Amino acid sequence: MKIRWAGVLFLLSSALVGFIVAPVYFYRHPLAAFDVALFLLYVVATLMAITVGYHRLYSHAAFRAHAIVRFLCLFFGAASFQQSALRWASLHRTHHRYVDTERDPYNIKRGFFYAHVGWVILRKPVIDYDNALDLQKDGMLTHQHRHYQLWALGAGVVLPLFLGALAGRLIETFLLTIAARLAVVHHCTFFINSFAHTFGTADYDPHSSAKDNWIGALLTNGEGYHNFHHRFPSDYRNGIRWYHWDPTKWLIRALSWVGLTSELRLTPAASIEQARAETRALRASKKI
Ligand SMILES: [Zn+2]
Ligand SMILES: [Zn+2]
């Protein structure tokens, strides 16, 4: 299997700078409120852009979104350095369709490491854009795909450095808002494919490796109720109870109150109960 050295270098250098160089630097140079505020803003914005935008909106069409929301998802999604929304959504649709098989791009059967990050650095996935023809009609989305490097550098590097320079905190911004933030957001997102396919319960689809787990939900911005999600992927929620930690769901719902999202798709309660009952019956008959 070929190692993609550019990917290894990028992931390792952001983690080394963010998790080792940054703490050493801040041991001698005190943190300012600006450093923490910009870091948190970028963590939340880029994680939400992936879970609200790349995942639930573009991959699963779980709701409709106003152009402002779509722009913000594409802008901060590019800033997370996880490729274009079109590429991400197409790969993710392949994951759902062929989950746990050789054609699953982040197949957990190849091991936790492979599903987490190995697939990014060990082989170049073959992408079938034919499964995302609907997305290719969206001009803003295809612009982000065609000019991805420009979007990613502008949103993820140039804008934070510009803000950092204005505040006189250029080095601090580079260490925290670029390096540490990239490493944190990368691994939180990667946990959806590794942790959420390993630990937890399977009450909706016992044949899938996807699992429901509140710790996974904490790590992945609400995507940890992954067994439910694989059974009902077009539901805008992953955690269906009000107390389930699913900030992605809460943001989509809150945006609908001001008209920025609409047509939020909900699975009928009867279908959810039927899936649970089928799983219970299979377990009782010891077929799984
Ligand atoms: Zn999955
Ligand atoms: Zn999904």
Side-chain angles (χ1 to χ4, degrees):
M1 198 171 279
K2 248 177 89 178
I3 296 176
R4 300 172 70 201
W5 288 107
V8 175
L9 205 68
F10 185 76
L11 289 168
L12 269 185
S13 55
S14 56
L16 282 176
V17 173
F19 297 151
I20 294 173
V21 177
V24 170
Y25 177 87
F26 285 110
Y27 183 70
R28 288 168 172 271
H29 305 79
L31 270 169
F34 172 86
D35 308 330
V36 180
L38 192 64
F39 169 75
L40 289 178
L41 178 99
Y42 255 80
V43 166
V44 172
T46 50
L47 257 184
M48 281 295 185
I50 294 295
T51 57
V52 171
Y54 275 32
H55 188 211
R56 299 193 200 180
L57 176 64
Y58 291 125
S59 301
H60 296 300
F63 60 98
R64 291 174 69 85
H66 189 280
I68 293 170
V69 175
R70 287 187 279 121
F71 172 75
L72 288 173
C73 287
L74 292 173
F75 186 80
F76 285 106
S80 75
F81 281 79
Q82 294 189 27
Q83 301 294 330
S84 71
L86 181 61
R87 185 183 161 96
W88 200 106
S90 174
L91 264 179
H92 190 73
R93 288 178 182 185
T94 305
H95 164 65
H96 273 263
R97 184 162 185 196
Y98 298 109
V99 68
D100 301 332
T101 70
E102 267 304 299
R103 295 179 75 177
D104 176 356
Y106 5 95
N107 183 10
I108 193 70
K109 303 281 184 213
R110 285 171 167 257
F112 190 93
F113 177 80
Y114 183 85
H116 187 74
V117 68
W119 70 276
V120 181
I121 58 176
L122 287 176
R123 73 174 181 185
K124 200 170 182 168
V126 181
I127 302 178
D128 173 19
Y129 288 112
D130 283 355
N131 69 2
L133 292 175
D134 54 321
L135 299 181
Q136 293 174 42
K137 293 177 197 149
D138 181 332
M140 195 153 48
L141 184 135
T142 50
H143 187 279
Q144 193 236 30
H145 179 70
R146 277 201 300 273
H147 307 284
Y148 167 70
Q149 270 99 350
L150 209 63
W151 280 70
L153 284 174
V157 177
V158 176
L159 178 61
L161 284 184
F162 175 71
L163 296 173
L166 281 185
R169 309 288 293 171
L170 198 61
I171 297 171
E172 292 81 359
T173 300
F174 173 76
L175 293 174
L176 267 188
T177 303
I178 296 181
R181 181 266 307 180
L182 271 177
V184 167
V185 172
H186 270 143
H187 290 284
C188 283
T189 316
F190 293 162
F191 275 129
I192 303 171
N193 301 324
S194 55
F195 193 96
H197 274 272
T198 307
F199 303 108
T201 55
D203 293 331
Y204 303 93
D205 181 0
H207 301 294
S208 166
S209 66
K211 300 283 191 290
D212 286 357
N213 186 326
W214 65 269
I215 299 170
L218 285 179
L219 292 170
T220 60
N221 210 21
E223 309 277 19
Y225 304 100
H226 209 54
N227 190 256
F228 174 84
H229 173 63
H230 267 264
R231 181 72 179 79
F232 301 108
S234 56
D235 197 310
Y236 87 95
R237 310 159 301 172
N238 276 15
I240 53 169
R241 310 278 176 226
W242 65 267
Y243 54 83
H244 283 167
W245 179 259
D246 190 354
T248 304
K249 162 187 79 174
W250 295 327
L251 180 60
I252 296 168
R253 170 73 70 83
L255 290 172
S256 75
W257 296 335
V258 289
L260 288 175
T261 57
S262 58
E263 298 179 37
L264 278 55
R265 291 168 73 173
L266 280 169
T267 311
S271 307
I272 296 174
E273 194 36 56
Q274 190 183 345
R276 291 179 71 93
E278 282 169 9
T279 306
R280 278 196 303 270
L282 272 172
R283 289 230 166 88
S285 67
K286 299 217 178 347
K287 284 189 180 144
I288 51 166

